[in-house]
Amino acid sequence: MSFFKNIFSNSSEKGENTPKDTLTWIPLRSEDQLNEIVEKSKEKSVVIFKHSTTCSISGMVKNRLERSWDIPAETSEVYYLDLLSFRSISNKIAEVFGVIHESPQVLVIKEGKSVFDTSHYGITTDAIKESLV
């Protein structure tokens, strides 16, 4: 029985991993929030994830972020934008932060400016961590 338990149990049940920070999404639903993001980014980094709910690549990237996220919550806030419901906000993000719209896309905002943006398979927890330093 312990043979099957070792194969099928997850690593946290085996005690191999320490608990990691979980990704807590803040819904981005209004253009007014972009002003808040600019202000918050003067205190700590802000991450914006632009997600298309009908795109399989976007879904895979979102899932991968949620599974691998180990960035402490005190280092950044993470916003989630549903592109299909709030396309005008995506357009405003492009205008405010000077980036070309892509989907999926992640931006890291510091001191009111986008210091990092990438899309598709370039979106990884490690890439975001590197930009937070």
Side-chain angles (χ1 to χ4, degrees), residues 44-62:
K44 66 179 175 178
S45 299
V46 176
V47 177
I48 300 172
F49 177 66
K50 295 169 35 177
H51 173 58
S52 172
T53 57
T54 60
C55 173
S56 61
I57 293 172
S58 193
M60 185 273 310
V61 168
K62 180 178 178 281

Side-chain angles (χ1 to χ4, degrees), residues 14-70:
K14 295 184 217 175
E16 293 174 4
N17 291 334
T18 58
K20 63 182 180 178
D21 289 287
T22 57
L23 179 52
T24 303
W25 298 112
I26 302 168
L28 180 50
R29 296 185 177 140
S30 76
E31 289 184 18
D32 291 339
Q33 284 178 283
L34 294 179
N35 294 329
E36 295 171 18
I37 287 170
V38 167
E39 289 306 310
K40 286 180 181 182
S41 75
K42 295 175 183 175
E43 301 297 319
K44 66 179 175 178
S45 299
V46 176
V47 177
I48 300 172
F49 177 66
K50 295 169 35 177
H51 173 58
S52 172
T53 57
T54 60
C55 173
S56 61
I57 293 172
S58 193
M60 185 273 310
V61 168
K62 180 178 178 281
N63 184 279
R64 185 174 62 186
L65 282 177
E66 290 172 338
R67 285 180 297 135
S68 66
W69 196 260
D70 62 354

Side-chain angles (χ1 to χ4, degrees), residues 62-105:
K62 180 178 178 281
N63 184 279
R64 185 174 62 186
L65 282 177
E66 290 172 338
R67 285 180 297 135
S68 66
W69 196 260
D70 62 354
I71 299 171
E74 60 272 2
T75 63
S76 65
E77 291 190 1
V78 186
Y79 285 79
Y80 167 88
L81 176 65
D82 176 345
L83 286 171
L84 299 182
S85 298
F86 301 100
R87 179 57 195 247
S88 64
I89 298 172
S90 179
N91 294 338
K92 191 71 173 176
I93 288 170
E95 178 185 322
V96 169
F97 298 111
V99 297
I100 296 171
H101 164 77
E102 294 188 75
S103 169
Q105 184 175 35

